[in-house]
Amino acid sequence: MQIRKGGQIPSSEITSEQDYLDRRTFLRAAGVLGAGLALTPSMLAACARDDARAAGASQDALVPTSYEDITTYNNYYEFGTDKEDPSENAKGFRTKPWTVRVDGLVKKPADYALEDFLKPAKLEDRVYRHRCVEAWSMVIPWRGFPLRDLIARVEPSPSAKFVEFTTKLDPAQMPGQRGNVLPWPYVEALRMDEAMHPLTLLATGLYGKPLPNQNGAPLRTIIPWKYGFKGTKAIVRIRFTDRQPTTTWNAVAPNEYGFYANVNPTVDHPRWSQSKERVIGGGWRKKETLMFNGYANEVASLYSGMDLRRNY
Ligand code: MTE
């Protein structure tokens, strides 16, 4: 995850088609969805525009980034290292059939066909801030379900302290895996209490539609108070363990990418500041980065007593 040099501004960052939506509007919209009415992405966008005009959008309003930007400005090294590579190279990626292995310290280990895995899940729409360690951000309306619902179903043993997520290994389909830009497959992990937190999602969609391949179809994790690299795309394995797993970016550059990776504007990356973020779809506008990406009220207690400078 290198920061780009000046002058290489993708067009997606110059022209913003995004209108503004405040949080209550989207929650109202999500409520309508919850009531079973079909609300299309274009209806959401229209309602966003109306509300913005009425309210006068503030800089920090939770305004979804455009579908275009969310699906063409991606990090997914299995499909290339440039932001627009995944949307091009993941087009033909096959996500059916798909199996998720649940194993390790768990009472109900199994290989689940994705349909069976998802059948009991109650999908919800949630608008989350998305902050990349490269100091850019988006706001994404995810569709998914709390990871803890799945964890409750498979019954980890009390000795399980961590959950590890592994991305599919398939060099024939994933051109990036034919090179050694990262050790493959991509692996990430959470402490059990982080995985059980109600904000942590397994996502299957965004903007009310199935997850595009470049965003991690058919299944990925979302941990909104952490840098984006903690979210694992195209998950094929969920393993429960009593030891802190080795995770990809932490193994590659431990002084740059910590295991915790909580968004923290006061702890800089060794090569750049984390105090501000570039808003994708907002030109070069920068905004202040918030502690725990704005979710401090919900998650700060998970880390009480921990030195967040050392556990970055
Ligand atoms: N998962 C896999 N398998 N491979 C990756 O390269 N990149 C991570 C994360 N998950 C990555 C991954 C990083 S650095 C970020 S910021 C987010 O995915 C980007 O998610 P998005 O493209 O949906 O915004």
Side-chain angles (χ1 to χ4, degrees), residues 109-153:
D111 285 344
Y112 290 90
L114 187 68
E115 304 75 57
D116 300 335
F117 190 76
L118 295 180
K119 215 175 275 165
K122 285 196 203 78
L123 297 183
E124 298 170 32
D125 293 291
R126 301 240 194 122
V127 184
Y128 279 168
R129 292 185 195 89
H130 182 67
R131 170 63 158 80
C132 181
V133 74
E134 297 163 335
W136 53 264
S137 69
M138 298 187 186
V139 173
I140 305 186
W142 297 110
R143 174 166 284 186
F145 61 95
L147 171 62
R148 66 177 186 176
D149 294 356
L150 180 271
I151 292 178
R153 263 157 60 200

Side-chain angles (χ1 to χ4, degrees), residues 69-101:
D69 281 333
I70 294 172
T71 57
T72 57
Y73 192 88
N74 301 105
N75 276 339
Y76 199 172
Y77 279 14
E78 286 85 339
F79 292 103
T81 53
D82 286 345
K83 299 295 182 239
E84 55 288 354
D85 285 346
S87 57
E88 277 301 314
N89 299 336
K91 273 184 185 142
F93 181 57
R94 288 187 302 278
T95 57
K96 281 179 192 158
W98 194 271
T99 306
V100 182
R101 169 162 297 181

Side-chain angles (χ1 to χ4, degrees), residues 240-255:
F240 294 88
T241 168
D242 53 0
R243 299 216 187 122
Q244 183 175 306
T246 303
T247 52
T248 299
W249 280 104
N250 185 228
V252 168
N255 60 327

Side-chain angles (χ1 to χ4, degrees), residues 83-287:
K83 299 295 182 239
E84 55 288 354
D85 285 346
S87 57
E88 277 301 314
N89 299 336
K91 273 184 185 142
F93 181 57
R94 288 187 302 278
T95 57
K96 281 179 192 158
W98 194 271
T99 306
V100 182
R101 169 162 297 181
V102 175
D103 66 350
L105 301 172
V106 63
K107 287 200 190 122
K108 296 182 182 162
D111 285 344
Y112 290 90
L114 187 68
E115 304 75 57
D116 300 335
F117 190 76
L118 295 180
K119 215 175 275 165
K122 285 196 203 78
L123 297 183
E124 298 170 32
D125 293 291
R126 301 240 194 122
V127 184
Y128 279 168
R129 292 185 195 89
H130 182 67
R131 170 63 158 80
C132 181
V133 74
E134 297 163 335
W136 53 264
S137 69
M138 298 187 186
V139 173
I140 305 186
W142 297 110
R143 174 166 284 186
F145 61 95
L147 171 62
R148 66 177 186 176
D149 294 356
L150 180 271
I151 292 178
R153 263 157 60 200
V154 300
E155 297 181 39
S157 64
S159 55
K161 299 286 178 269
F162 296 90
V163 200
E164 177 194 80
F165 305 90
T166 306
T167 294
K168 191 175 179 75
L169 182 65
D170 189 351
Q173 286 205 80
M174 296 172 134
Q177 289 181 342
R178 289 175 229 147
N180 56 5
V181 57
L182 287 178
W184 309 109
Y186 193 97
V187 174
E188 259 307 334
L190 297 171
R191 218 169 56 186
M192 202 61 168
D193 57 345
E194 299 175 322
M196 292 294 287
H197 194 279
L199 285 175
T200 303
L201 296 184
L202 279 170
T204 59
L206 60 83
Y207 262 108
K209 303 196 226 186
L211 213 48
N213 289 342
Q214 59 270 34
N215 293 93
L219 190 69
R220 69 173 291 175
T221 46
I222 308 293
I223 312 98
W225 68 94
K226 293 182 180 283
Y227 293 120
F229 73 88
K230 291 297 287 182
T232 312
K233 295 179 170 183
I235 293 169
V236 292
R237 185 178 181 197
I238 300 177
R239 182 176 74 95
F240 294 88
T241 168
D242 53 0
R243 299 216 187 122
Q244 183 175 306
T246 303
T247 52
T248 299
W249 280 104
N250 185 228
V252 168
N255 60 327
E256 302 196 2
Y257 309 108
F259 175 81
Y260 283 94
N262 292 318
V263 175
N264 188 340
T266 70
V267 177
D268 287 340
H269 185 281
R271 292 185 280 137
W272 59 82
S273 165
Q274 293 291 21
S275 68
K276 290 190 168 60
E277 60 205 51
R278 209 158 37 81
V279 179
I280 302 301
W284 280 95
R285 182 168 75 83
K286 286 202 172 185
K287 72 190 257 308

